[in-house]
Amino acid sequence: MSDHAHFDLVPLDHVSVTEAAAWHQVVVASMIHDLPGVPPPSPGQIHARLTKPTLDSRQLNWLATGEDGVRVGVAGLRLFTSPGRDHLAELELHVDPAHRRRGAGTRLLAAAVAACRTEDRRSLIVEAPAGSPGEAFCERWSFRRVLTLEHLILHMDKLDEAALRRVGDAEHPGYRLTGWTGTVPDDLADAFAAAKNAMNDMPVGDLDYGSVVWDADRVRAMARVIADRGDSLLTLAAVHDDGAMAGYTEILVPEGASSRVQQYDTAVVPAHRGHGLGLWLKAAMVGRLRAEHPGVVEIETDNAEDNVHMLAVNRELGFRSYRRTREYQLDVPSV
């Protein structure tokens, strides 16, 4: 290929198995180059991500193909549809390292920005590993850096067992732990939704991520989306004697025999903060993972760098920083 190669951009209205496999190949090549040590998604996970419904959003996808028919880049644009976030779009863009700096990324970005204008989206957000070519690409095209995320790993075989017992044995008068897999039990659904709304005060830097209002139907819908992808969602909650849910923590166990799981939300409702509930919940989740998923060896989480309280909780439990990502935002001009 020349330095200014020709690329065809193919919108993927209905993603085939072959197209999903091509997408997976590009993503794996990109991640191996930019994120060594981070396990790439499996072919099944990519296929599910491209074909299964999402919550309060829809997705536009493009595949960039070179003159020789080689698939060189992919872009997925998530368009949020719920009130409070319907001005937002989120972009995932990958170019195979062997085909970079020849215009494929620029073509894919131009298609995404044009779609944002058509869909009346004023904010486009994208995540890039710190120090990566993706970060330089964002800065080149006038994205603003709005948030830095610390990614942390907890190695299950390096846990401080004494600290874990100390946290687990601590008394929390007036509170009890309860847990479930998948959909929240009906008798806890309203309380869980109320606790979910506590996430709205989470530090997000200058990121314009809108707001989400949770109710019982929405928490059930989220669980269905995750189950339809083939993943499992484990939840532990601290419930107060008055029936209110004081806090919760969630772990996503990916489809297949994954040794690394992802921390989803951990939140403590403002009225119940200061009692050590966040640390208690996360320590209890470690115990649950050991009992129910003994093949898990690592838990990955991320926190905004200014979320000093949750970073302190994670580090006390034994999480250690291992990489950073940046959130970038483009203010999309109207047509």
Side-chain angles (χ1 to χ4, degrees), residues 17-278:
V17 172
T18 300
E19 290 165 338
W23 189 293
H24 177 258
Q25 184 176 3
V26 171
V27 170
V28 169
S30 174
M31 289 185 64
I32 288 173
H33 184 273
D34 297 340
L35 289 169
V38 177
S42 69
Q45 288 170 323
I46 288 289
H47 186 266
R49 188 185 303 171
L50 293 172
T51 59
K52 298 296 184 181
T54 55
L55 182 63
D56 294 339
S57 64
R58 55 192 177 86
Q59 184 151 316
L60 304 177
N61 301 307
W62 296 270
L63 190 61
T65 303
E67 292 176 328
D68 51 5
V70 173
R71 311 300 174 84
V72 301
V74 297
L77 184 70
R78 185 180 181 188
L79 301 165
F80 295 95
T81 57
S82 59
R85 301 180 83 189
D86 52 6
H87 65 291
L88 282 175
E90 187 173 38
L91 177 64
E92 179 184 7
L93 192 155
H94 294 274
V95 176
D96 188 316
H99 301 276
R100 289 179 178 172
R101 305 188 67 82
R102 294 168 181 169
T106 299
R107 287 283 310 280
L108 288 163
L109 176 61
V113 171
C116 285
R117 291 194 180 108
T118 299
E119 298 286 345
D120 195 26
R121 306 301 161 127
R122 68 174 185 267
S123 294
L124 175 62
I125 56 178
V126 64
E127 183 176 293
S132 71
E135 188 170 33
F137 181 82
C138 289
E139 292 172 350
R140 175 188 174 194
W141 293 109
S142 301
F143 283 75
R144 292 181 292 111
R145 184 191 295 180
V146 291
L147 181 68
T148 297
L149 293 170
E150 291 276 358
H151 292 255
L152 304 97
I153 289 284
L154 178 66
H155 298 281
M156 302 285 274
D157 61 348
K158 297 180 181 178
L159 283 165
D160 184 334
E161 299 292 346
L164 196 64
R165 284 194 298 272
R166 183 176 67 251
V167 172
D169 293 343
E171 294 186 359
H172 296 83
Y175 298 94
R176 63 180 175 86
L177 291 180
T178 188
W180 61 90
T181 299
T183 304
V184 60
D186 287 344
D187 62 327
L188 293 172
D190 289 330
F192 186 39
K196 276 276 188 183
N197 287 315
M199 289 293 290
N200 285 331
D201 70 351
M202 178 181 65
V204 292
D206 295 322
L207 181 64
D208 174 18
Y209 208 60
S211 59
V212 177
V213 177
W214 292 88
D215 59 19
D217 288 340
R218 194 173 197 278
V219 296
R220 293 187 184 106
M222 174 59 83
R224 285 196 298 271
V225 166
I226 291 170
D228 287 346
R229 293 198 312 244
D231 300 332
S232 297
L233 186 64
L234 312 183
T235 306
L236 282 176
V239 179
H240 192 261
D241 287 345
D242 64 7
M245 191 171 292
Y248 66 93
T249 190
E250 299 169 314
I251 288 284
L252 182 90
V253 181
E255 166 267 342
S258 176
S259 61
R260 179 181 293 188
V261 298
Q262 300 293 322
Q263 177 78 62
Y264 266 28
D265 292 347
T266 298
V268 177
V269 175
H272 297 274
R273 290 173 184 168
H275 301 288
L277 299 183

